[in-house]
């Protein structure tokens, strides 16, 4: 697995994942919930976004099954959080033949020795 490292823009997000908390952003001007990696509100352009915890519930939007050399696979997907934003993430614990649009998922966190805890989703 590729490890992920924080930078100034992602520090608060990864502080949250280290606590086992998925954070999203909210616009203080017009209030929409925004994905954690978006630097400004798409509705009004505000760049002073706040952080807040997401519920951790999501549904699967789309996915791809990537075969691994030597056997096995990784499922990469796009999930829609209950709050609205879409995220790219690994999907765990679902056999490829059981993947379907709109299946319910919950967030979990995976940490690699040399990187940050990252969100993953499982059924």
């Amino acid at each position: 697995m590729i490890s992920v490292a924080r930078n100034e823009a992602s520090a608060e997000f990864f502080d949250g994942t280290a606590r086992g908390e998925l954070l999203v952003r909210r616009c203080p001007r017009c209030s929409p919930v925004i994905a954690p990696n978006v630097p400004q509100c798409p509705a009004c352009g505000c760049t002073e976004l706040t952080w807040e915890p997401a519920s951790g519930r999501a549904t699967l939007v789309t996915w791809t099954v990537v075969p691994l050399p030597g056997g096995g696979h990784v499922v990469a997907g796009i999930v829609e959080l209950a709050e609205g934003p879409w995220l790219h993430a690994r999907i765990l614990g679902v056999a490829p033949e059981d993947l379907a649009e709109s299946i319910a998922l919950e967030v979990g966190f995976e940490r690699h020795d040399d990187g940050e805890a990252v969100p993953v989703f499982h059924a």
Side-chain angles (χ1 to χ4, degrees):
M1 290 290 142
I2 297 172
S3 64
V4 176
R6 71 175 58 216
N7 61 24
E8 185 178 321
S10 66
E12 188 143 0
F13 176 79
F14 287 121
D15 287 347
T17 63
R19 295 187 304 268
E21 188 172 54
L22 178 62
L23 298 177
V24 291
R25 306 195 79 182
R26 183 175 293 277
C27 177
R29 287 189 193 161
C30 63
S31 199
V33 176
I34 304 163
N37 62 330
V38 176
Q40 71 182 47
C41 177
C44 73
C46 178
T47 58
E48 297 174 14
L49 306 177
T50 60
W51 292 96
E52 66 180 49
S55 67
R57 295 184 316 275
T59 56
L60 187 60
V61 174
T62 190
W63 65 92
T64 187
V65 178
V66 181
L68 296 174
H73 64 273
V74 171
V75 178
I78 297 175
V79 301
E80 181 176 7
L81 298 178
E83 295 78 10
W86 289 17
L87 298 179
H88 292 88
R90 285 188 56 216
I91 310 301
L92 304 176
V94 184
E97 61 272 13
D98 295 332
L99 293 164
E101 187 177 337
S102 298
I103 64 170
L105 301 169
E106 289 283 334
V107 74
F109 298 92
E110 194 172 75
R111 180 186 296 275
H112 301 283
D113 292 339
D114 59 348
E116 300 290 341
V118 296
V120 294
F121 287 82
H122 55 88

